[in-house]
Coordinates of all heavy atoms in Angstrom, one line a residue:
L44 N -5.4 117.9 -88.8 CA -6.1 118.3 -90.0 C -5.5 119.5 -90.7 O -5.3 120.5 -90.1 CB -7.6 118.6 -89.7 CG -8.5 118.9 -90.9 CD1 -8.6 117.7 -91.9 CD2 -9.8 119.4 -90.5
I45 N -5.1 119.3 -92.0 CA -4.5 120.4 -92.7 C -5.5 120.8 -93.8 O -5.9 120.0 -94.7 CB -3.2 119.9 -93.4 CG1 -2.2 119.3 -92.4 CG2 -2.5 121.1 -94.2 CD1 -1.8 120.2 -91.3
V46 N -6.0 122.0 -93.7 CA -7.0 122.6 -94.6 C -6.3 123.6 -95.5 O -5.7 124.6 -95.0 CB -8.1 123.3 -93.9 CG1 -9.1 123.8 -94.9 CG2 -8.8 122.3 -92.9
N47 N -6.2 123.3 -96.8 CA -5.6 124.2 -97.8 C -6.6 125.0 -98.5 O -7.5 124.5 -99.2 CB -4.8 123.2 -98.8 CG -4.3 124.0 -100.0 OD1 -4.1 125.2 -99.9 ND2 -3.9 123.3 -101.0
I48 N -6.5 126.3 -98.4 CA -7.4 127.2 -99.2 C -6.5 128.0 -100.2 O -5.4 128.5 -99.8 CB -8.2 128.2 -98.3 CG1 -7.4 129.1 -97.6 CG2 -9.2 127.4 -97.5 CD1 -8.2 130.3 -96.9
D49 N -6.9 128.0 -101.4 CA -6.2 128.6 -102.5 C -7.2 129.1 -103.5 O -8.2 128.4 -103.8 CB -5.2 127.6 -103.1 CG -4.1 128.3 -103.9 OD1 -4.4 129.0 -104.9 OD2 -2.9 128.2 -103.5
K50 N -7.0 130.3 -104.0 CA -7.9 130.8 -105.1 C -7.6 130.2 -106.4 O -8.4 130.3 -107.3 CB -7.7 132.4 -105.1 CG -8.7 133.1 -106.0 CD -8.4 134.6 -106.0 CE -9.3 135.4 -106.9 NZ -9.1 136.8 -106.9
L51 N -6.4 129.6 -106.5 CA -6.0 129.0 -107.8 C -5.9 130.0 -108.9 O -6.4 129.9 -110.0 CB -6.9 127.8 -108.2 CG -6.9 126.6 -107.3 CD1 -7.8 125.5 -107.8 CD2 -5.5 126.1 -107.0
T52 N -5.1 131.1 -108.6 CA -4.7 132.0 -109.6 C -3.6 131.3 -110.4 O -3.3 130.2 -110.2 CB -4.3 133.3 -109.0 OG1 -3.2 133.1 -108.1 CG2 -5.4 134.0 -108.3
Y53 N -3.0 132.1 -111.3 CA -2.0 131.5 -112.2 C -0.9 130.7 -111.5 O -0.4 129.7 -112.0 CB -1.3 132.6 -113.1 CG -0.3 133.4 -112.3 CD1 1.0 133.2 -112.4 CD2 -0.8 134.5 -111.5 CE1 1.9 133.9 -111.7 CE2 0.1 135.3 -110.8 CZ 1.5 135.0 -110.9 OH 2.4 135.7 -110.2
A54 N -0.5 131.1 -110.3 CA 0.6 130.4 -109.6 C 0.2 129.2 -108.7 O 1.0 128.5 -108.1 CB 1.4 131.4 -108.8
G55 N -1.1 129.0 -108.6 CA -1.6 127.9 -107.7 C -1.8 126.7 -108.6 O -2.6 126.7 -109.6
N56 N -1.2 125.6 -108.2 CA -1.3 124.4 -109.1 C -1.5 123.2 -108.2 O -0.6 122.7 -107.5 CB 0.0 124.2 -109.9 CG 0.0 123.1 -110.8 OD1 -0.9 122.3 -110.9 ND2 1.1 123.0 -111.6
L57 N -2.7 122.6 -108.2 CA -3.1 121.5 -107.3 C -2.3 120.2 -107.8 O -2.2 119.3 -107.0 CB -4.6 121.2 -107.3 CG -5.4 122.2 -106.5 CD1 -6.9 122.0 -106.7 CD2 -5.0 122.1 -105.0
A58 N -1.9 120.2 -109.0 CA -1.1 119.0 -109.4 C 0.2 118.9 -108.6 O 0.8 117.8 -108.6 CB -0.8 119.1 -110.9
N59 N 0.6 120.0 -108.0 CA 1.8 119.9 -107.1 C 1.6 119.0 -105.9 O 2.5 118.6 -105.2 CB 2.2 121.3 -106.6 CG 2.6 122.3 -107.7 OD1 2.7 121.9 -108.8 ND2 2.7 123.5 -107.3
L60 N 0.3 118.7 -105.6 CA -0.1 118.0 -104.4 C -0.8 116.7 -104.7 O -1.5 116.1 -103.8 CB -1.0 118.9 -103.5 CG -0.3 120.1 -102.9 CD1 -1.4 121.1 -102.4 CD2 0.6 119.7 -101.8
K61 N -0.5 116.1 -105.8 CA -1.1 114.8 -106.2 C -0.9 113.8 -105.2 O -1.7 112.9 -104.9 CB -0.6 114.4 -107.6 CG -1.2 115.0 -108.8 CD -0.7 114.4 -110.0 CE -1.3 115.0 -111.3 NZ -0.7 114.4 -112.5
D62 N 0.3 113.8 -104.6 CA 0.7 112.7 -103.7 C 0.0 112.7 -102.4 O 0.1 111.7 -101.6 CB 2.3 112.7 -103.5 CG 2.8 114.0 -103.1 OD1 2.3 115.1 -103.5 OD2 3.8 114.0 -102.3

Side-chain angles (χ1 to χ4, degrees):
L44 179 65
I45 308 299
V46 181
N47 172 17
I48 63 169
D49 200 297
K50 190 179 177 181
L51 297 182
T52 56
Y53 74 96
N56 186 354
L57 285 174
N59 296 353
L60 292 164
K61 280 183 180 180
D62 54 325

